[in-house]
């Protein structure tokens, strides 16, 4: 992309754990996946971005929804109204292409969540888009279309979320940190349901930030006291009744133009939720992020990879908005998948990086 192209109770009793489809499995040691079918057995290192192309990295603690977010991103890019412009998504190799096809089918046809990451490996997709005619579009005399063309590489050195717990002995997690260090923008997925049960999200984030800062210091890329990245902080599973009802009780939601619930002030909601989850590590997470990244480079979102259950013809029935039910002890998606605020974090990163 050229410069021109762009008591003893830890939590309130009403917040209960909800099984969503991604659970950590630490029974067996993961093996590296080859980036292409006939590649050697050597672990593939992160690919350097071509030219000035933006690379966006993704990370989060166990059950934060990394796999589902990846599966939903292409669906979100193809939103039929064109609210995000027009995008083409091209897989970087056979493994990435197979993941995209399989996970899309699981979400939309089988109506189940993709399995949590078990193996470590490199996944990469090139997104090429045009924001012309959208609310994100930039106006430049005589060059509006060119100015609104975007290109970025979503390149994920995917490891199970639990790997970040032990960075000193786990080579796979260490390689993933190198990969995040080489990225321009970061998408951090925070799962409030996981935090409500385990309260350990700060441990994963803190370890990652400590090692990431060390890498950037060694590379000479720190910007004063800050990491050089733009970061999108995503509160995931916004469609979950436990999360959404909490947001409604706190007065943080309103209906958007399409009848879909939105959070006008996601940063304020993040801080309020941190206080509302008594005894959690969420406040520590907010402090760590704000001390590590420049304030102008931090963006907040309330996201849902599958979206809310909608009425025929569109719109959300606030009395029956949940889009997941338990069938035989397993979560099943009830209706159509309508990713909510999945493309928005990526676009915010792209526009912020272009301004810099």
């Amino acid at each position: 992309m050229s410069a021109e192209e762009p008591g003893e109770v830890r939590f309130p009793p009403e917040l209960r754990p909800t099984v969503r489809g991604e659970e950590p499995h630490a029974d067996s040691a993961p093996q590296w996946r080859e980036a292409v079918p006939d590649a050697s057995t050597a672990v593939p290192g992160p690919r350097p971005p071509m030219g000035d192309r933006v690379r966006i990295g993704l990370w989060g603690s166990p059950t934060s929804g990394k796999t589902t977010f990846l599966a939903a991103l292409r669906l979100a890019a193809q939103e039929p109204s064109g609210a995000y412009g027009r995008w083409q998504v091209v897989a970087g190799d056979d493994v990435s292409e197979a993941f995209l096809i399989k996970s899309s089918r699981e979400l939309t046809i089988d109506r189940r969540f993709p399995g949590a990451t078990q193996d470590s490996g490199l996944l990469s997709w090139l997104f090429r888009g045009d924001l012309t005619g959208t609310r994100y579009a930039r106006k430049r005399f005589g060059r509006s279309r060119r100015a609104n063309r975007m290109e970025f590489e979503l390149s994920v050195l995917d490891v199970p979320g639990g790997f970040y717990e032990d960075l000193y002995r786990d080579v796979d997690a260490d390689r993933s940190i190198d990969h995040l260090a080489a990225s321009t923008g970061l998408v951090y997925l925070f799962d409030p349901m996981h935090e409500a049960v385990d309260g350990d999200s700060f441990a994963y984030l803190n370890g990652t930030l400590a090692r990431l800062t060390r890498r950037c210091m060694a590379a000479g890329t720190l910007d004063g006291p800050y990491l050089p990245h733009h970061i999108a902080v995503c509160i995931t599973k916004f469609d979950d009744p436990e999360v959404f009802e909490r947001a409604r009780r706190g007065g943080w939601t309103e209906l958007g133009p399409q009848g879909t619930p939105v959070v006008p002030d996601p940063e304020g909601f993040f801080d309020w939720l941190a206080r509302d989850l008594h005894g959690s590590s969420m406040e520590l997470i907010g402090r760590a992020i704000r001390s590590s990244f420049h304030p102008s480079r931090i963006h907040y979102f309330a996201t849902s990879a599958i979206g809310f259950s909608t009425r025929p013809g569109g719109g959300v029935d606030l009395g029956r908005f949940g889009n997941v039910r338990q069938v035989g002890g397993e979560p099943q998606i009830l209706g159509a998948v309508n990713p909510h605020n999945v493309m928005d974090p990526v676009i915010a990163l792209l526009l912020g990086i272009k301004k810099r």
Side-chain angles (χ1 to χ4, degrees), residues 140-343:
R140 286 188 180 180
F141 294 107
R143 298 190 304 173
S144 60
R145 178 164 295 277
R146 185 172 184 181
N148 286 304
R149 287 178 178 168
M150 299 280 174
E151 182 175 303
F152 69 94
E153 177 189 349
L154 184 72
S155 188
V156 184
L157 194 54
D158 203 22
V159 298
F163 272 32
Y164 292 110
E165 191 173 23
D166 188 355
L167 299 174
Y168 298 98
R169 291 180 294 181
D170 199 301
V171 64
D172 293 349
D174 196 51
R175 292 177 191 270
S176 184
I177 299 250
D178 281 338
H179 191 72
L180 294 178
S183 300
T184 321
L186 302 174
V187 175
Y188 171 66
L189 304 182
F190 171 77
D191 176 8
M193 300 307 300
H194 174 88
E195 180 64 15
V197 179
D198 295 325
D200 61 356
S201 300
F202 175 69
Y204 297 100
L205 176 97
N206 190 47
T208 303
L209 285 178
R211 183 61 61 86
L212 185 58
T213 303
R214 187 171 155 195
R215 289 286 191 274
C216 290
M217 171 68 83
T221 58
L222 285 182
D223 182 7
Y226 301 115
L227 290 165
H229 310 76
H230 283 251
I231 183 171
V233 180
C234 301
I235 304 170
T236 64
K237 303 175 185 176
F238 183 54
D239 66 289
D240 190 290
E242 298 290 358
V243 179
F244 180 61
E245 289 293 0
R246 184 176 293 273
R248 290 180 70 187
R249 288 195 299 270
W252 292 99
T253 66
E254 63 182 41
L255 288 181
Q258 305 303 319
T260 301
V262 297
V263 178
D265 180 11
E267 181 177 5
F269 176 54
F270 182 95
D271 292 336
W272 176 86
L273 188 59
R275 296 189 298 271
D276 201 50
L277 291 180
H278 308 298
S280 79
S281 66
M282 191 171 173
E283 286 192 88
L284 293 174
I285 290 172
R287 293 179 201 169
I289 289 173
R290 288 171 176 139
S291 66
S292 299
F293 299 91
H294 192 279
S296 67
R297 300 177 195 154
I298 306 174
H299 316 267
Y300 293 84
F301 299 88
T303 71
S304 169
I306 63 170
F308 297 90
S309 178
T310 58
R311 301 187 186 100
V316 176
D317 182 352
L318 295 182
R320 303 178 61 182
F321 59 84
N323 205 14
V324 177
R325 65 178 176 182
Q326 296 294 316
V327 178
E330 296 293 329
Q332 182 182 51
I333 301 170
L334 283 173
V337 172
N338 300 293
H340 177 71
N341 270 4
V342 171
M343 272 299 289

Side-chain angles (χ1 to χ4, degrees), residues 68-111:
T68 307
F69 186 93
L70 288 171
L73 192 57
R74 185 186 184 211
L75 299 177
Q78 297 174 336
E79 208 280 329
S81 72
Y84 303 108
R86 302 301 175 187
W87 292 86
Q88 187 60 260
V89 185
V90 184
D93 52 53
D94 290 349
V95 171
S96 302
E97 184 175 82
F99 172 88
L100 207 61
I101 294 170
K102 179 176 180 292
S103 60
S104 294
R105 177 183 175 86
E106 288 173 330
L107 278 180
T108 61
I109 306 301
D110 302 334
R111 294 190 176 179

Side-chain angles (χ1 to χ4, degrees), residues 131-145 147-148:
L131 300 179
T132 300
T134 73
R135 60 192 177 100
Y136 304 101
R138 301 190 305 173
K139 301 296 183 181
R140 286 188 180 180
F141 294 107
R143 298 190 304 173
S144 60
R145 178 164 295 277
N148 286 304

